[in-house]
């Protein structure tokens, strides 16, 4: 267990088990949903929901750590590895990071080196069930080695960038590295 974390049984659902901060949960209809992947890439794409489901997908079991101190071990996520998404859009040599934009206007950014791990997914299932709205349906980011504010819910756009951008919580004083093993909670 990373420092100062305690295990609980289930991931708390945003807006249900813990309060939403920006807005009430957005309800995303998969019949009109589009995922835009663009920015510093050779082949920008806009994918509808059935096209998202046709991407190569992976199951990955990982632990989930919220900066407020709760952790959930052995979450079985299913979705698209960021690595596989990059094969589709081909980031330019100048791309260094990606900003994840969400339906509630939340954002967070990660270096491509941080997104390269096999357990980093844009996930649509948890423990064999479709994601619930409070867990980011239909598509959320999962970055197990970072505090959960890097794991964006309700992702609608992945924008590759030259430099790192500060996201919603990172602008408000939380650590931009957010490394759970280094206890990187607040910006220094
Ligand atoms: N779009 C969006 N993603 C978000 C947030 C948010 O407000 N909006 N909150 C973050 C924070 S602070 C946490 S702890 C996790 C919570 O994820 P969960 O609802 O799966 O527990 O979502 C992160 N991703
Ligand atoms: Mo959080």
């Amino acid at each position: 267990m990373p420092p100062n974390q305690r295990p609980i049984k289930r991931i708390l659902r945003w807006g249900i088990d813990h309060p939403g901060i920006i807005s009430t949960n957005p309800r995303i209809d998969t019949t009109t949903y589009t995922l835009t992947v663009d920015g510093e890439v050779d082949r920008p794409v806009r994918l509808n929901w059935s096209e998202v489901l046709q991407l190569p997908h992976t199951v990955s079991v990982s632990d989930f750590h919220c900066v407020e101190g709760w952790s959930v071990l052995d979450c079985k996520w299913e979705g698209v590895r960021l690595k596989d998404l990059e094969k589709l859009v081909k980031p330019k040599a100048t791309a260094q990071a990606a900003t994840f934009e969400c339906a509630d206007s939340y954002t967070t950014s990660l270096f491509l080196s941080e997104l390269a791990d096999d357990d980093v997914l844009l996930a649509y299932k948890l423990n064999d069930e479709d994601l619930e709205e409070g867990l980011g349906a239909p598509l959320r980011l999962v970055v197990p080695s970072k505090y959960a504010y890097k794991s964006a819910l309700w992702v609608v756009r992945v924008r590759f960038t030259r430099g790192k951008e500060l996201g919603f919580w990172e602008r408000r004083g939380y650590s931009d590295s957010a490394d759970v093993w280094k206890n990187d909670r607040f910006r220094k």
Side-chain angles (χ1 to χ4, degrees), residues 14 66-68 148-149 169:
W14 200 245
C66 172
V67 72
E68 286 171 5
Y149 57 87
W169 282 120

Side-chain angles (χ1 to χ4, degrees), residues 153-165:
L153 309 166
W154 313 300
V155 172
V156 292
R157 184 176 181 196
V158 182
R159 186 167 44 78
F160 287 81
T161 56
R162 289 175 177 236
K164 197 74 172 8
E165 296 179 350

Side-chain angles (χ1 to χ4, degrees), residues 11-15 18-23 26 64-68 70 77 101-108 133-136 140 147-155 168-169:
I11 295 187
L12 301 184
R13 291 161 302 171
W14 200 245
H18 57 165
I21 303 286
I22 299 185
S23 69
F64 189 86
H65 307 289
C66 172
V67 72
E68 286 171 5
W70 54 266
W77 299 102
E101 300 183 359
C102 308
D104 60 344
S105 83
Y106 188 85
T107 61
T108 193
E133 178 193 297
L135 295 173
R140 72 163 307 154
Y147 291 115
Y149 57 87
K150 292 288 181 183
S151 291
L153 309 166
W154 313 300
V155 172
F168 179 86
W169 282 120

Side-chain angles (χ1 to χ4, degrees), residues 176-187:
D176 194 30
S177 58
D179 188 318
V180 300
W181 296 102
K182 294 185 182 153
N183 208 26
D184 277 344
R185 292 168 192 267
F186 304 106
R187 217 156 80 215

